[in-house]
Amino acid sequence: MSNERIMENRILGFTTKAMRVLFLILFAISLLFQSAWAGTAIIRLAWDPNQEADLAGYRIYFGTSPRTGDDPAVCGLCGYSTMVDVGNVTTYRIPGLVQRQTYYISATAYDTSGNQSVFSDQVSGPAKEVYINFDGDGRTDIAIYRSSNGYWFLLPSSGDSSAVGWGGDSSDIPIPGDYDGDGKTDIAIYRSSNGYWYLLPSSGTSSAVNWGGDPSDIPAPGDYDGDGKTDIAIYRSSNGYWYLLPSSGTSSALVFGGDASDVPVPGDYDGDGKTDIALYRASAGAWWIIPSSSGTPYGVGFGGDASDVPVPGDYDGDGKTDIALYRVSTGAWWINPSSGGTPYGVGFGGDASDVPVPGDYDGDGKSDLAIYRANIGAWFIYPSSTDPSGIYGVGWGGDASDIPMAISIPSYM
């Protein structure tokens, strides 16, 4: 990263039976990150395959503490909390992790006779977020909030669909995030009529928090303190103040903005693991950002068309939020990658009812282009891991009151 870390270690492992050599070549570990709202955490692993003809598979060992031994035949988990037999594959994603918690990881190889190698070299790194991930599997899920009846309709990438009633007031705004820090996106709404946040954590009891209430308040949740939990926050457009209620500490207020055209676009633009306060000033086509790592504001000119909708995300997969726009008038996405290079455009959309819904739908650590076509209730997704032939559609929604879940919902509500 940046906050994406690539670690490569090559080791030679030996079985405890017959001392037959197993070559275990690890690791390329990609720590996923999606920008804007605090989401759920995952670590993605990849390694080169062994060449033995009788290789049967691999076992991944991990936990929040370093291991205490070198041979699982002697010390079992050896200080790790979890072992997963992943079979004979060369990639694996560990989902449902605590955001920004450092994890220690090793692997072993085993053959068809049950012989297992000693551990590979240990690698470690913090788990990073994936957004709109209700099942915690590391991929963005398709989901809508139906404002006409207060129901959430979820289509997880890993399993069966579901419907949950949570909301229903005409002033409710959906604000999903990982408020309990368990690695899964929680259902939540901000009721602008009374300034309450109603949270339905995936791990426990519902709660209500009064934070806001001014008619100009725009919810801007994010992990501003970097503790792995979504924090409650609002941007008050009438006075340009941000009011933050961190999950780990004391509330604060900061003035940054105030122009009538300002739209909050919080994200981790500096890649330090904390949400940064940021605005898109539509009247000037400018982005204004306060990186949490330095505290020094800066501006970037990018946009300016009256139909531009800010769609920040990590499109280059470097662990930093990229500045990006969806231009409704032309159906073009304009992206300014944080990793360098020339800003570029991609035509994807163009129907008058299209709503941009970027996310990591393929789980490769990069934001994918996606739109929700409201007039037919269809999602069209362009995965970053494929070419245009891999674009696909999913029917989910269609009611006139449906709001698709995305990583920057307040930007266009």
Side-chain angles (χ1 to χ4, degrees):
M1 230 173 170
S2 75
N3 276 325
E4 176 178 294
R5 296 173 176 82
I6 302 297
M7 290 167 278
E8 295 184 356
N9 297 291
R10 282 170 167 52
I11 64 94
L12 180 64
F14 297 88
T15 66
T16 58
K17 297 180 180 180
M19 295 302 290
R20 191 177 66 77
V21 176
L22 289 178
F23 293 92
L24 183 58
I25 302 173
L26 286 178
F27 266 105
I29 296 185
S30 298
L31 306 183
L32 304 185
F33 181 84
Q34 291 281 352
S35 59
W37 291 12
T40 61
I42 186 172
I43 288 177
R44 180 165 60 93
L45 312 175
W47 58 93
D48 295 332
N50 285 40
Q51 300 303 313
E52 292 81 8
D54 60 347
L55 175 73
Y58 305 91
R59 295 186 178 113
I60 302 298
Y61 293 75
F62 66 94
T64 57
S65 299
R67 74 168 189 252
T68 56
D70 295 323
D71 189 347
V74 176
C75 53
L77 290 176
C78 303
Y80 292 128
S81 60
T82 305
M83 184 278 286
V84 181
D85 188 331
V86 300
N88 195 1
V89 298
T90 57
T91 62
Y92 183 69
R93 290 177 309 185
I94 306 175
L97 303 178
V98 177
Q99 300 168 28
R100 299 190 174 93
Q101 171 69 56
T102 294
Y103 288 86
Y104 298 85
I105 306 165
S106 298
T108 62
Y110 62 91
D111 62 21
T112 54
S113 298
N115 300 314
Q116 182 177 205
S117 71
V118 297
F119 286 117
S120 70
D121 286 351
Q122 179 174 262
V123 293
S124 64
K128 298 302 177 183
E129 300 90 340
V130 177
Y131 293 86
I132 315 301
N133 186 205
F134 294 94
D135 55 5
D137 73 343
R139 299 183 182 185
T140 298
D141 300 320
I142 290 173
I144 60 169
Y145 171 69
R146 186 159 290 170
S147 60
S148 60
N149 62 11
Y151 266 81
W152 296 65
F153 295 94
L154 312 180
L155 185 60
S157 57
S158 65
D160 296 330
S161 61
S162 63
V164 179
W166 192 253
D169 188 272
S170 61
S171 69
D172 288 347
I173 297 173
I175 46 169
D178 189 7
Y179 295 88
D180 56 4
D182 71 343
K184 297 180 180 180
T185 299
D186 305 317
I187 288 172
I189 60 167
Y190 171 69
R191 186 160 291 171
S192 59
S193 61
N194 63 9
Y196 269 84
W197 297 60
Y198 295 95
L199 313 179
L200 186 60
S202 57
S203 64
T205 307
S206 62
S207 63
V209 179
N210 185 211
W211 194 253
D214 187 274
S216 70
D217 287 347
I218 301 172
D223 189 7
Y224 295 90
D225 56 5
D227 70 346
K229 299 179 180 180
T230 301
D231 302 320
I232 289 173
I234 60 168
Y235 170 69
R236 185 161 291 170
S237 60
S238 61
N239 63 8
Y241 267 84
W242 294 70
Y243 296 95
L244 311 181
L245 186 61
S247 56
S248 64
T250 307
S251 62
S252 62
L254 173 70
V255 64
F256 190 69
D259 187 272
S261 70
D262 287 346
V263 175
V265 286
D268 189 6
Y269 295 88
D270 56 2
D272 70 344
K274 297 180 180 180
T275 299
D276 304 319
I277 288 174
L279 292 163
Y280 172 66
R281 184 159 292 173
S283 61
W287 297 64
W288 292 97
I289 300 165
I290 305 180
S292 58
S293 58
S294 69
T296 303
Y298 68 93
V300 178
F302 196 72
D305 187 272
S307 70
D308 286 346
V309 175
V311 286
D314 188 7
Y315 296 91
D316 55 6
D318 71 345
K320 299 179 181 180
T321 301
D322 302 320
I323 289 172
L325 294 160
Y326 173 70
R327 187 157 290 171
V328 176
S329 61
T330 61
W333 296 66
W334 292 97
I335 298 168
N336 190 359
S338 59
S339 57
T342 304
Y344 62 94
V346 180
F348 189 67
D351 188 272
S353 71
D354 287 348
V355 177
V357 286
D360 188 7
Y361 295 89
D362 57 3
D364 70 345
K366 298 179 181 180
S367 295
D368 305 318
L369 307 185
I371 58 168
Y372 171 69
R373 189 156 289 171
N375 62 0
I376 58 174
W379 298 63
F380 294 97
I381 299 168
Y382 187 170
S384 59
S385 58
T386 187
D387 57 30
S389 65
I391 294 171
Y392 65 95
V394 178
W396 194 252
D399 188 273
S401 69
D402 287 347
I403 300 172
M405 296 298 96
I407 60 175
S408 52
I409 292 171
S411 295
Y412 55 78
M413 287 192 65

